[in-house]
């Protein structure tokens, strides 16, 4: 559990890693912006004080760009009906280790920009607050939110599934995540952890949203529903595992140390998400779509490896020590180069979901 907490300190990644993480997050946000804005209009059409929450906000400008676009869209719709502009309450959530000071330093400029664009001689009020804590639990008062977003976060589990070590021996030996080579017992544990986490996420949001409120989220997913074949189609973690194996052969890291390392990562299928939503019972699915992105079109192997550093550095440093980072990701880059030269697929599958709270809790 300590390892996972350290992972979620993620944004202590250093400037280079953060820049790559921020760039990738920005592209994801831009790709789902139309769905986000249309959902915001539905959720906030007749609300006098609009409450918005972004979960897993990190500490860069991306989260504020989403909020800015939501505010612009809501205000433009109100002008069309000659109605008074609403007030806005914005909640930015991440774990307590997030650099909220860096985020808050961007808020005055953001508020001034919003006021300059939308203040028609009156006062448009935009209040911003930070809410530290895990989104796998309650964060806000009951029926207090109208619109929630979360981007590129929900594929990270709250913890590494329990039971991956049996009497000190790894039952996932040779793998660092739930891969196609993992035993069925490993897949069972990852599926169970995902179900527990995602159901808790839905229950918490159901209590916090008003009826008619909406959630828009995106996460990595897989195209095959079978929970033990073609798992995690994004190849970064498979390549990362092979890179660690190479370091074992070079006597740079102990095999036992690698065997005890597992990522708290699970990419569900759309069917799994649907099942969990219907099982929880508070939401209808307004929209769900899945896209596949071939990263070789836009990114070099080095850039792709930097994305992997941004996502995993804190976990790796906590488990192996920081000195492993340079040789590990040099090897990782080389293996990605070899994949590219061999014409292998390097990409990821992204699932975008819009939920509407339809039942009072």
């Amino acid at each position: 559990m300590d390892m996972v907490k350290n992972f979620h300190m993620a944004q202590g990644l250093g400037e280079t890693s953060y820049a790559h993480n921020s760039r990738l997050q920005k592209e994801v946000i831009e790709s789902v912006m139309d769905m986000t804005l249309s959902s915001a209009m539905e959720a906030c059409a007749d609300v006098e004080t609009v409450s918005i929450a972004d979960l897993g906000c990190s500490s860069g400008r991306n989260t504020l760009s989403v909020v800015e676009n939501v505010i612009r869209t809501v205000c433009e719709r109100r002008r069309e009906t000659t109605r008074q502009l609403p007030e806005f309450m914005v909640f930015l959530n991440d774990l307590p280790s997030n650099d909220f000071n860096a985020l808050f330093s961007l808020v005055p400029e953001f508020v001034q920009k919003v006021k300059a664009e939308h203040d028609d001689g009156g006062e448009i009020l935009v209040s911003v607050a930070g809410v530290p804590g895990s989104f796998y639990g309650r964060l806000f008062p009951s029926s207090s939110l109208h619109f929630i977003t979360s981007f590129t976060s929900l594929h990270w589990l709250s913890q590494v599934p329990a039971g991956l070590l049996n009497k000190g021996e790894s039952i996932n030996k040779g793998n660092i995540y739930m891969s196609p080579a993992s035993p069925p017992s490993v897949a069972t544990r990852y599926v169970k952890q995902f179900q527990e986490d995602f159901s808790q996420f839905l229950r918490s949001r159901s209590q916090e949203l008003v009826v008619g409120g909406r959630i828009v989220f995106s996460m990595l997913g897989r195209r095959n529903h079978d929970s033990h074949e073609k798992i995690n189609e994004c190849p970064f973690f498979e390549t990362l595992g092979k890179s660690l194996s190479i370091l074992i052969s070079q006597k740079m890291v102990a095999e036992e140390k690698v065997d005890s390392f597992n990522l708290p990562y699970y990419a569900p299928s759309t069917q799994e998400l649907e099942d969990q939503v219907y099982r929880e019972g508070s939401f209808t699915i307004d929209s769900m779509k899945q896209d596949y992105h071939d990263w070789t079109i836009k990114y070099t192997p080095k850039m792709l490896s930097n994305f992997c550093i941004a996502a995993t550095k804190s976990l790796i440093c906590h488990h192996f020590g920081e000195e492993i980072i340079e040789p590990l990701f040099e090897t990782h880059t080389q293996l990605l180069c070899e994949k590219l030269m061999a014409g292998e697929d390097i990409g990821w599958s992204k699932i975008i979901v819009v939920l509407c709270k339809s039942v009072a809790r």
Side-chain angles (χ1 to χ4, degrees), residues 13-233:
L13 295 173
E15 292 182 5
T16 301
S17 295
Y18 177 75
H20 283 92
N21 190 52
S22 180
R23 177 177 178 179
L24 180 59
Q25 186 187 49
K26 181 179 180 181
E27 292 190 10
V28 170
I29 289 172
E30 289 176 348
S31 71
V32 303
M33 188 60 75
D34 287 346
M35 291 178 68
T36 301
L37 298 181
S38 61
S39 300
M41 284 192 292
E42 294 292 332
C44 308
D46 300 312
V47 180
E48 293 184 5
T49 301
V50 176
S51 295
I52 303 166
D54 185 43
L55 308 183
C57 66
S58 189
S59 57
R61 294 180 178 273
N62 289 330
T63 187
L64 293 178
S65 72
V66 174
V67 174
E68 180 183 343
N69 277 284
V70 168
I71 291 175
R72 178 182 298 114
T73 300
V74 173
C75 288
E76 287 175 351
R77 173 61 62 88
R78 292 297 177 91
R79 287 195 184 95
E80 290 174 1
T81 60
T82 65
R83 294 180 58 189
Q84 182 176 349
L85 299 184
E87 298 179 338
F88 294 89
M89 185 69 234
V90 179
F91 299 102
L92 306 177
N93 157 259
D94 214 315
L95 288 159
S97 53
N98 186 55
D99 189 353
F100 283 98
N101 285 335
L103 184 58
F104 291 154
S105 70
L106 303 173
V107 169
E109 178 186 351
F110 157 74
V111 171
Q112 288 301 316
K113 184 177 180 181
V114 169
K115 286 190 173 186
E117 181 173 353
H118 301 292
D119 193 350
D120 299 329
E123 273 298 318
I124 180 170
L125 179 65
V126 180
S127 298
V128 180
V131 182
S134 170
F135 52 54
Y136 290 123
R138 287 290 302 273
L139 293 165
F140 306 98
S142 298
S143 302
S144 62
L145 298 177
H146 302 99
F147 189 61
I148 297 172
T149 58
S150 182
F151 302 112
T152 64
S153 295
L154 279 165
H155 43 259
W156 292 110
L157 302 171
S158 67
Q159 64 180 49
V160 173
L164 296 184
L165 292 178
N166 182 22
K167 297 180 180 179
E169 294 292 324
S170 172
I171 67 169
N172 198 30
K173 189 177 178 62
N175 306 287
I176 63 170
Y177 68 110
M178 191 183 76
S179 78
S182 297
S185 59
V186 171
T188 298
R189 286 169 169 81
Y190 269 92
V191 170
K192 180 181 179 183
Q193 186 65 53
F194 161 73
Q195 291 174 344
E196 290 176 354
D197 284 347
F198 193 65
S199 63
Q200 181 60 44
F201 175 85
L202 292 175
R203 284 195 300 270
S204 299
R205 306 295 81 79
S206 172
Q207 291 174 286
E208 296 162 352
L209 276 168
V210 300
V211 174
R214 282 165 173 78
I215 308 173
V216 179
F217 67 86
S218 67
M219 63 189 301
L220 299 190
R222 68 178 188 279
R223 291 170 288 180
N224 191 311
H225 177 58
D226 191 314
S227 63
H228 200 57
E229 292 183 7
K230 297 184 179 179
I231 300 298
N232 302 337
E233 294 166 310

